[in-house]
Amino acid sequence: MKAPSLGEFEELVLLMVAAQHDEAYGVSILESLEKQLDKKVNVSAIHVALKRMVEKGFITSRFGGITTDRGGRRKKFYVITAFGKQALDQQYSIRTDLYQQIPEISFN
Amino acid sequence: MKPSPPYRALKFLRWFCREDFIEEVEGDLIEVFEYQYKQSPKKAKSKLIWTVIRYFRPEFIKAFNLSPNSTTMYQHNFKLAYRNFFKYKSTFFINLIGLSTGLACALLISLWIADEQNVDKFHEKDARLYQVMHNIDLGNEIRTLEWTPGPLIEALDQQMPEVENVAAVFPPSVHTFKGALAHDDIRMKASSKYVSSDYFSIFSHPILAGDKDQLLKEKYAVVISDQLALKLFGSTDNVVGKLLKWEVEGFSGDYFVSGIFESMPSNASIQFDLAFNYDLYASKNPELNRWSYNDPCTYLTLKEGSDVKAFENKIAGLIKKNDPESKGTLFLRKYSSQYLYGNFENGLEAGGRISYVILFSVIAIFLLLIACINFMNLSTARASRRIKEIGVKKSIGAKRSDLVIQHLMESVIMSFLALFLAMLMVTLILPEFNVLTGKQLLFVFSSEFIFTVLGITLITGLLAGSYPALYLSGITPISIFRGSSINSLSSLWIRKGLVIFQFAVSLVLIVMVFTVSKQMDYIQTKNLGYDKENVLIFNETINNDASYTSFKHQLKTVPGVLSISSISGDMTTGDRNNTTGIMWEGRSEDNLVDFSDLVVDFNFFETMNIELLEGRAFSEEFNSEKNKIIFNETAINQMGLVNPIGQTVRLWGKEKQIIGVVKDFHVESLYKTVKPSFFRLSERGMNTLVRIEQGKERETIEALQDIYKEKNQGLALDYQFIDDAYDKLYASESRVSILSGYFAGIAILISCLGLFGLAAFTAEIRLKEIGIRKVLGSGNTQIVLLLSNEYTKMVLIANLLALPIGYYLVNNWLGSFAFSIELKWWSFVGAGILSLMISWLTVGIQTVKAAMINPVDCLKDE
């Protein structure tokens, strides 16, 4: 079976999920992504990425407890799976590998 | 207090979003919203709405198949419909042919009706565009005229603030002045009208060249159509300012082109190529300053928001105010309604072409109904074949509504298949249909047309399916499996009733066709009081009387020309001047006889073969024939003169001696009685009449053409045979006659198809009965009689119903003619017998086949 692909935006979301281990949910990811990337992100885009990655098996989810915030709606927390971590590692190694192959270029 | 997010957006989200996602999505949305709300409530709201919309994507939308069964059901229904069509091919084809012919007729008719209704509707100001009409009270009747007093436009323009623009047009209605037009060496005939300067502001004929406001400011200006410009100058560029030579009696001269208008579209009821200045016409007719002189047509546009009724009341008495002697009142008619509602009776609108529109709409509806009935009858008759399917479905738990939907679907599928075929047929027939109706109809796929077509098809499908669906779905499964008869008495009666209805409609159409074609025959062969064969009528453009006389003499020398005369107006349309200005001895005050004024040349009565009852005709052997007058029979009767010859009457104040009385002849359509007329002499009428020897038409006309060309500076002879002109008068009647013939044929065909299917089916289910009867000694003839008896009864009942209706309808139609055939009983009996024969023929093949069967074949059971 071909390994599922990981898109650019998906990768960013997955990194966020991994970074906020066990505490990542839609809005927290949104906020930190916006801070990191310094641009507006629509929450629907994050949800789409999350759903796709759940389907691909990169992350799993669980519901949090009921609070009075959020109109009484529970949060859904996401956790990275081993498979997801592996995908991140692979992506990372490919990137660094390639990066190191760049010859010394001077731009002056 | 927490801010509340837009409720509708969330409601929408909850409606479409997957249940397992909704809590998370909504929670996150609200959190983001609350956070953003602190910065800008407005932005937060719009942002939320936008985000909700962005969730509307496949990943988040839930599966809407509430019960996953329903799509499978529809697929199943489709499959069943498809299988049924294939299994019972004959039924399928009968239905398909019936429905598609019905639909094709309906489509053609709806195209035609749409075209009829569009005539004259293209003017931008159509909603405010009116014609001023003129009612004259003649004592015993009110006559409605299109022409109005000359000073009227000025009065309307200056005294009526409601009027936006007003224009006078002469000659009235569809008539035009035909004259010869010359430019360089091109000479041709063209039709013209005199219009006053506001004409082009009232009617929307796009001006292609020239200043729209200055078109008819100059007396000798003329505005021409682009087609004429192309013919004369070869282009529409740089034509403005060029000179044209125009030759028509009294107005010949040079005119300059002040503008070009786009030729009138074919759905304009009034067509002409040249628009001259009405002021020029008025300046040569000082009579137009009198309120008692009616000549031009008056058209006007009212200002937006004007009260039409109030305005009408205001102008009603305008003539009497200015001319106390007048018996006329004015009223308005919407310009675009003149085409469909052109007739007036006693001062009131009395239909017109609209009656044909209604007639054909009704025919279209009935044709579709007949086709629907076929479907109903065949599907209910064949119920027994599908009864097990219905029983099984019901026992498994199908609801009645499911079955209704299934059968309706089947019929709608059927009707859409039929639509496809019907479109094909219409495309093939359309050119022929155009020839027949004299129109240029096209299949234009406008949204309006598509909606109409889809609407008609859907309604047809639902109608056709309604009864079978309700009937079949209502059968209880118990009775199905117990094997009791499913063809209950009531359904049998409904089926019979429907067949009777079909035949009744066909019969009414047959009666109509019979009568209309008889009346057409009558019209074409009626003795009009003159001999319309072999007489040519044409007008000429010779500019002085002397050369006209020599032209006449030259024509007379042509071998084959029997005699020559002329007449004002023409022989067939009854379009001529009328006057009440005749005084005679013994005339009572209130006896206002409205005479037709016919100006004729010597030899008129000889040329037209009109019989003289008393006295003599105008003759060149006598002097001062211009002071003589001839009346027709009706005129003498209405005047109440005894021994009229030698008496004198005063026509417009001048004494005239009566020298003859002629037998009545028809110069008007047969819808009208012969009008009282008088004849006075002029050696030159508007139209020349030439009687030609029979059998020598071709060479004589050729010779006439040569002389005509020579005397009319190269103009080609544009002639008409009077009998052709006469036939043209009744073009719409003969169209109805032909079309109703076709439609009646189609109605019968569809009905017979249904009957054929029904007969085949009954023969099939009664096969065992027939077998037993034969075994017990019944003969073939008896069986044929047994089987056809039922249908004979139905057709007879249809006869009983249809003939009175048919009688009433055709009697009404004939009543509109002053001269018509008498309805004979045998034409109705003939229609009845015809329908009976047709039904026997249809049923016959089936019954004979059933009767010939060998009992062994149908009685043995495996």
Side-chain angles (χ1 to χ4, degrees):
Chain A
M1 201 192 99
K2 224 175 104 187
S5 64
L6 189 60
E8 191 207 4
F9 188 72
E10 281 175 10
E11 190 185 350
L12 283 171
V13 175
L14 187 56
L15 282 167
M16 241 0 136
V17 170
Q20 303 180 345
H21 187 67
D22 212 23
E23 288 295 317
Y25 74 101
V27 181
S28 72
I29 298 170
L30 173 81
E31 277 169 1
S32 11
L33 262 185
E34 281 187 346
K35 210 181 288 165
Q36 292 280 333
L37 301 178
D38 198 21
K39 70 174 189 189
K40 287 276 165 204
V41 178
N42 195 301
V43 68
S44 69
I46 291 173
H47 279 143
V48 171
L50 287 171
K51 297 301 166 205
R52 282 186 186 157
M53 287 193 296
V54 170
E55 228 161 79
K56 290 171 187 169
F58 292 147
I59 47 179
T60 56
S61 63
R62 67 172 172 85
F63 273 117
I66 298 175
T67 57
T68 49
D69 282 342
R70 300 162 51 92
R73 268 78 181 175
R74 287 176 293 172
K75 288 174 183 170
K76 199 172 209 181
F77 293 110
Y78 292 88
V79 191
I80 190 163
T81 61
F83 183 51
K85 182 71 175 41
Q86 195 191 323
L88 268 186
D89 290 345
Q90 205 182 343
Q91 202 91 343
Y92 181 72
S93 71
I94 293 173
R95 298 262 157 102
T96 38
D97 223 35
L98 282 173
Y99 192 82
Q100 273 152 12
Q101 286 175 29
I102 303 173
E104 296 266 325
I105 314 166
S106 78
F107 284 101
N108 25 348
Chain B
M1 171 84 206
K2 290 216 161 132
S4 57
Y7 176 68
R8 270 172 213 282
L10 286 185
K11 202 176 166 191
F12 176 60
L13 181 77
R14 281 177 212 147
W15 174 69
F16 74 76
C17 189
R18 285 172 62 163
E19 279 95 345
D20 50 338
F21 288 178
I22 182 74
E23 186 164 11
E24 174 198 7
V25 168
E26 212 183 313
D28 284 0
L29 273 177
I30 293 173
E31 198 177 329
V32 171
F33 172 76
E34 280 169 358
Y35 171 72
Q36 283 174 340
Y37 194 82
K38 286 171 209 150
Q39 289 147 14
S40 156
K42 234 186 182 169
K43 248 190 190 161
K45 272 184 190 166
S46 56
K47 177 97 183 179
L48 185 127
I49 293 169
W50 173 233
T51 315
V52 166
I53 293 169
R54 289 193 41 170
Y55 278 111
F56 195 71
R57 50 200 294 167
E59 287 108 321
F60 289 88
I61 294 176
K62 61 186 168 197
F64 269 100
N65 303 325
L66 293 173
S67 85
N69 267 335
S70 60
T71 43
T72 347
M73 264 268 287
Y74 287 121
Q75 280 168 11
H76 172 75
N77 287 348
F78 263 106
K79 198 179 273 172
L80 272 185
Y82 175 77
R83 283 183 186 160
N84 268 313
F85 292 159
F86 263 80
K87 196 163 173 196
Y88 307 115
K89 287 198 188 74
S90 60
T91 319
F92 172 67
F93 278 115
I94 288 173
N95 280 332
L96 186 67
I97 292 169
L99 277 177
S100 53
T101 350
L103 272 175
C105 291
L107 284 186
L108 281 177
I109 292 174
S110 63
L111 277 175
W112 180 78
I113 291 173
D115 193 77
E116 287 283 285
Q117 282 176 333
N118 263 335
V119 169
D120 285 336
K121 288 265 165 72
F122 61 91
H123 297 290
E124 270 166 43
K125 295 175 183 167
D126 176 52
R128 298 180 279 134
L129 178 47
Y130 294 91
Q131 178 176 7
V132 181
M133 302 288 288
H134 189 181
N135 270 342
I136 293 187
D137 190 351
L138 294 173
N140 49 356
E141 63 158 336
I142 298 173
R143 176 159 307 153
T144 304
L145 306 175
E146 283 195 61
W147 37 99
T148 50
L152 180 67
I153 41 163
E154 219 177 291
L156 286 176
D157 197 24
Q158 287 166 4
Q159 297 164 19
M160 302 288 164
E162 295 94 332
V163 175
E164 185 182 63
N165 288 110
V166 54
V169 175
F170 187 81
S173 81
V174 296
H175 306 295
T176 52
F177 276 125
K178 287 224 160 98
L181 198 59
H183 172 74
D184 292 342
D185 43 355
I186 305 173
R187 248 173 89 80
M188 60 172 67
K189 278 214 169 152
S191 51
S192 71
K193 284 213 182 229
Y194 294 96
V195 305
S196 62
S197 51
D198 277 350
Y199 182 85
F200 290 100
S201 323
I202 293 178
F203 296 94
S204 309
H205 299 300
I207 300 298
L208 302 178
D211 181 354
K212 196 175 174 190
D213 299 318
Q214 304 289 323
L215 287 176
L216 291 168
K217 283 274 183 288
E218 302 286 327
K219 238 182 185 176
Y220 287 90
V222 59
V223 191
I224 65 176
S225 73
D226 55 346
Q227 275 171 17
L228 187 69
L230 282 178
K231 276 188 222 155
L232 275 181
F233 303 102
S235 98
T236 56
D237 299 328
N238 299 322
V239 173
V240 173
K242 285 201 175 154
L243 283 184
L244 286 178
K245 229 184 227 335
W246 174 245
E247 290 159 28
V248 76
E249 208 188 326
F251 293 92
S252 299
D254 285 334
Y255 292 81
F256 76 92
V257 179
S258 65
I260 298 174
F261 64 86
E262 201 176 287
S263 287
M264 287 147 199
S266 61
N267 61 352
S269 57
I270 295 175
Q271 304 266 354
F272 57 89
D273 283 326
L274 295 152
F276 288 100
N277 195 339
Y278 178 77
D279 293 340
L280 174 73
Y281 176 76
S283 69
K284 295 205 183 178
N285 284 281
E287 294 273 321
L288 278 175
N289 293 325
R290 285 180 21 214
W291 276 89
S292 57
Y293 188 83
N294 295 304
D295 224 357
C297 274
T298 308
Y299 302 100
L300 56 84
T301 48
L302 290 177
K303 284 192 181 128
E304 262 169 273
S306 312
D307 184 351
V308 183
K309 274 273 156 285
F311 179 71
E312 234 180 344
N313 289 338
K314 232 166 124 184
I315 60 167
L318 206 57
I319 302 184
K320 275 181 198 151
K321 205 168 91 191
N322 292 286
D323 172 26
E325 301 241 310
S326 161
K327 294 183 188 304
T329 50
L330 295 175
F331 65 100
L332 291 184
R333 168 170 81 174
K334 195 129 180 283
Y335 179 72
S336 53
S337 72
Q338 63 154 4
Y339 181 73
L340 287 179
Y341 303 89
N343 296 350
F344 285 86
E345 233 166 66
N346 234 346
L348 296 172
E349 205 173 81
R353 282 190 188 80
I354 188 72
S355 51
Y356 292 117
V357 171
I358 294 171
L359 176 73
F360 283 117
S361 316
V362 170
I363 289 181
I365 291 170
F366 275 117
L367 283 176
L368 273 181
L369 263 182
I370 290 179
C372 287
I373 287 174
N374 272 356
F375 188 92
M376 292 181 192
N377 272 344
L378 290 176
S379 22
T380 49
R382 296 193 174 227
S384 60
R385 286 183 168 162
R386 305 196 56 182
I387 212 79
K388 293 235 163 76
E389 173 200 329
I390 293 161
V392 170
K393 275 189 168 173
K394 278 202 155 186
S395 4
I396 302 177
K399 283 173 281 178
R400 185 169 185 187
S401 60
D402 295 331
L403 291 171
V404 169
I405 288 173
Q406 182 202 342
H407 286 99
L408 282 182
M409 259 179 76
E410 212 163 283
S411 64
V412 171
I413 293 170
M414 187 76 219
S415 68
F416 274 91
L417 284 179
L419 173 67
F420 183 73
L421 205 64
M423 295 283 239
L424 217 71
M425 286 191 212
V426 171
T427 336
L428 291 176
I429 299 169
L430 206 55
E432 292 295 316
F433 187 72
N434 277 339
V435 173
L436 216 63
T437 53
K439 285 200 179 277
Q440 287 118 35
L441 302 176
L442 279 178
F443 244 147
V444 184
F445 288 97
S446 61
S447 57
E448 206 177 312
F449 179 70
I450 291 172
F451 272 123
T452 332
V453 169
L454 291 184
I456 291 176
T457 316
L458 200 66
I459 290 171
T460 312
L462 291 178
L463 190 70
S466 60
Y467 175 60
L470 290 175
Y471 168 68
L472 289 173
S473 64
I475 300 168
T476 50
I478 291 277
S479 71
I480 296 170
F481 293 123
R482 217 169 35 197
S484 53
S485 163
I486 41 114
N487 277 327
S488 66
L489 211 61
S490 68
S491 79
L492 221 62
W493 265 111
I494 290 180
R495 210 143 65 215
K496 278 186 184 167
L498 290 173
V499 171
I500 290 170
F501 175 79
Q502 278 185 317
F503 266 80
V505 171
S506 310
L507 261 165
V508 170
L509 284 173
I510 296 177
V511 169
M512 235 174 76
V513 174
F514 264 30
T515 327
V516 174
S517 62
K518 277 260 164 56
Q519 172 72 6
M520 286 314 292
D521 274 356
Y522 171 78
I523 287 173
Q524 266 145 15
T525 54
K526 168 151 177 66
N527 183 3
L528 298 171
Y530 66 85
D531 182 3
K532 63 182 157 66
E533 312 291 328
N534 294 316
V535 182
L536 285 184
I537 186 164
F538 57 84
N539 67 358
E540 30 61 42
T541 57
I542 295 165
N543 40 26
N544 64 62
D545 288 355
S547 52
Y548 179 71
T549 315
S550 84
F551 171 62
K552 260 196 333 192
H553 283 303
Q554 212 171 339
L555 290 182
K556 266 181 203 160
T557 59
V558 174
V561 169
L562 294 178
S563 68
I564 291 175
S565 185
S566 73
I567 183 174
S568 57
D570 61 36
M571 284 301 294
T572 45
T573 58
D575 164 48
R576 52 187 39 85
N577 296 328
N578 292 310
T579 181
T580 52
I582 290 194
M583 295 296 295
W584 65 92
E585 220 164 292
R587 174 185 150 175
S588 60
E589 261 307 299
D590 55 339
N591 190 358
L592 264 182
V593 180
D594 191 34
F595 293 92
S596 279
D597 166 21
L598 286 103
V599 189
V600 298
D601 194 359
F602 295 114
N603 295 323
F604 174 74
F605 302 105
E606 293 87 327
T607 308
M608 298 311 298
N609 277 345
I610 295 165
E611 198 182 324
L612 265 173
L613 288 179
E614 280 178 76
R616 59 175 181 87
F618 298 115
S619 167
E620 281 161 289
E621 287 162 28
F622 294 89
N623 291 327
S624 69
E625 286 290 88
K626 293 211 166 152
N627 297 330
K628 305 288 192 298
I629 193 165
I630 296 175
F631 284 97
N632 71 354
E633 244 180 308
T634 311
I636 296 293
N637 287 340
Q638 289 199 10
M639 291 156 75
L641 292 183
V642 199
N643 295 328
I645 306 297
Q647 295 193 26
T648 51
V649 295
R650 295 178 74 86
L651 171 66
W652 301 316
K654 280 190 195 124
E655 294 220 336
K656 301 246 179 193
Q657 192 187 19
I658 304 175
I659 55 165
V661 177
V662 294
K663 209 169 166 190
D664 282 343
F665 63 97
H666 293 271
V667 284
E668 271 151 333
S669 83
L670 296 181
Y671 283 106
K672 292 180 187 140
T673 48
V674 175
K675 280 194 66 175
S677 318
F678 63 85
F679 306 86
R680 56 198 171 93
L681 181 75
S682 154
E683 275 149 65
R684 190 173 174 194
M686 230 162 73
N687 291 305
T688 309
L689 298 163
V690 178
R691 175 168 292 280
I692 293 173
E693 202 176 318
Q694 191 152 18
K696 287 194 181 166
E697 291 90 350
R698 207 171 49 84
E699 53 268 42
T700 315
I701 289 171
E702 269 167 23
L704 290 180
Q705 274 166 334
D706 290 343
I707 299 170
Y708 186 88
K709 211 166 192 170
E710 185 198 318
K711 289 282 180 178
N712 289 277
Q713 289 93 37
L715 215 58
L717 173 63
D718 178 19
Y719 66 91
Q720 207 172 18
F721 275 104
I722 285 186
D723 47 353
D724 290 342
Y726 178 78
D727 287 346
K728 244 186 216 164
L729 261 190
Y730 301 96
S732 60
E733 283 81 359
S734 69
R735 255 172 223 158
V736 171
S737 157
I738 297 168
L739 282 177
S740 59
Y742 281 120
F743 290 138
I746 289 169
I748 293 167
L749 183 86
I750 303 178
S751 312
C752 285
L753 270 177
L755 201 61
F756 182 80
L758 214 55
F761 181 73
T762 346
E764 204 179 303
I765 51 172
R766 292 178 80 172
L767 216 55
K768 286 219 162 102
E769 178 195 335
I770 294 166
I772 294 168
R773 279 176 189 273
K774 286 192 90 168
V775 169
L776 292 177
S778 181
N780 284 354
T781 7
Q782 270 169 299
I783 297 212
V784 169
L785 282 180
L786 173 84
L787 287 176
S788 36
N789 239 347
E790 196 184 335
Y791 300 104
T792 314
K793 261 188 247 161
M794 287 196 270
V795 174
L796 284 178
I797 296 174
N799 267 306
L800 277 181
L801 285 175
L803 294 183
I805 298 173
Y807 175 81
Y808 172 77
L809 288 176
V810 293
N811 206 22
N812 237 350
W813 182 71
L814 288 180
S816 65
F817 286 92
F819 299 88
S820 66
I821 50 165
E822 264 175 64
L823 283 173
K824 297 268 168 47
W825 60 269
W826 46 259
S827 73
F828 291 89
V829 173
I833 291 175
L834 185 69
S835 67
L836 212 54
M837 300 289 270
I838 292 173
S839 67
W840 275 337
L841 258 176
T842 321
V843 179
I845 308 162
Q846 300 294 336
T847 50
V848 169
K849 210 167 78 186
M852 304 276 270
I853 198 150
N854 186 347
V856 174
D857 292 334
C858 59
L859 287 179
K860 73 162 188 240
D861 229 333
E862 46 268 84

